[in-house]
Amino acid sequence: MRSQVISRWPILILLLAAFGLAMGCSGSGGDESPTAAGGALSADDVEFRSLQLVNRARSSENVDPQLGLDPAVAAVARKHSRAMRDQGFFGHADKSGNTLRQRLDAAGIQYRGAAENLAQVHHESRPAAVAHSQLMSSASHRANILNPKYRLAGVGVAKSGDTYWITQIFIRR
């Protein structure tokens, strides 16, 4: 009997996590909150919340359409965030000099236009919200977020300790 109860724990944990995610995404505040165990948010949580904040900003500025998530673009963004973390740099070109366009081309992604926003956040309990606020305070980054020509996006986050590297890529096809 005990093995049956134990085998139900993963399902219960998933249900509680889904309920917590749904509660965190609804309501007027919508602030990020650390995991139930009191730890920092996962990279996946920050990716999801970052795209949600971008779309909320577009909506509040009457910019259509909302950005769709492109998993291949997200993979390119995630790879760049991990490279910044692992290779100790922060910039649009990686240590080999590869730019956004070169990284998208290498991944075989078809696009007519692309832009990239980068943020690095330290010691924050709400990394996506802090990064979003910083990006919206910069004219060029804000322009990328609110550009109606972009229809798809990918967000990639790498994390080490309490530092998050966030890459947002916007494309139009």
Side-chain angles (χ1 to χ4, degrees):
M1 185 72 145
R2 181 181 174 131
S3 64
Q4 290 177 347
V5 172
I6 292 172
S7 67
R8 290 183 183 142
W9 277 110
I11 294 170
L12 178 60
I13 290 169
L14 286 173
L15 288 173
L16 288 173
F19 178 76
L21 182 58
M23 294 303 292
C25 294
S26 64
S28 59
D31 287 338
E32 300 162 276
S33 58
T35 60
L41 291 168
S42 73
D44 290 344
D45 293 334
V46 177
E47 289 174 4
F48 173 81
R49 183 70 174 132
S50 293
L51 184 58
Q52 186 181 47
L53 288 167
V54 164
N55 276 327
R56 185 174 292 165
R58 289 170 70 94
S59 179
S60 70
E61 296 289 330
N62 297 315
V63 176
D64 285 325
Q66 294 289 289
L67 294 172
L69 174 65
D70 185 308
V73 174
V76 172
R78 196 171 298 116
K79 185 175 178 181
H80 189 65
S81 289
R82 289 175 180 163
M84 288 190 292
R85 176 196 63 198
D86 297 344
Q87 298 170 17
F89 73 94
F90 184 77
H92 293 285
D94 64 21
K95 288 243 176 166
S96 300
N98 294 313
T99 64
L100 170 62
R101 298 195 189 295
Q102 291 166 318
R103 288 183 274 122
L104 290 172
D105 291 345
I109 295 172
Q110 301 294 314
Y111 61 96
R112 292 185 347 197
E116 178 176 63
N117 287 346
L118 303 176
Q120 186 178 34
V121 179
H122 307 279
H123 310 294
E124 292 291 342
S125 62
R126 299 170 41 239
V130 170
H132 182 74
S133 177
Q134 292 170 353
L135 292 168
M136 290 298 285
S137 296
S138 160
S140 61
H141 296 104
R142 180 183 176 90
N144 290 340
I145 290 169
L146 299 178
N147 188 331
K149 292 181 181 178
Y150 296 126
R151 308 288 178 137
L152 297 168
V155 178
V157 174
K159 179 179 181 283
S160 179
D162 58 4
T163 301
Y164 296 83
W165 290 259
I166 302 169
T167 303
Q168 299 173 335
I169 300 175
F170 308 95
I171 65 168
R172 71 180 167 99
R173 290 207 163 110

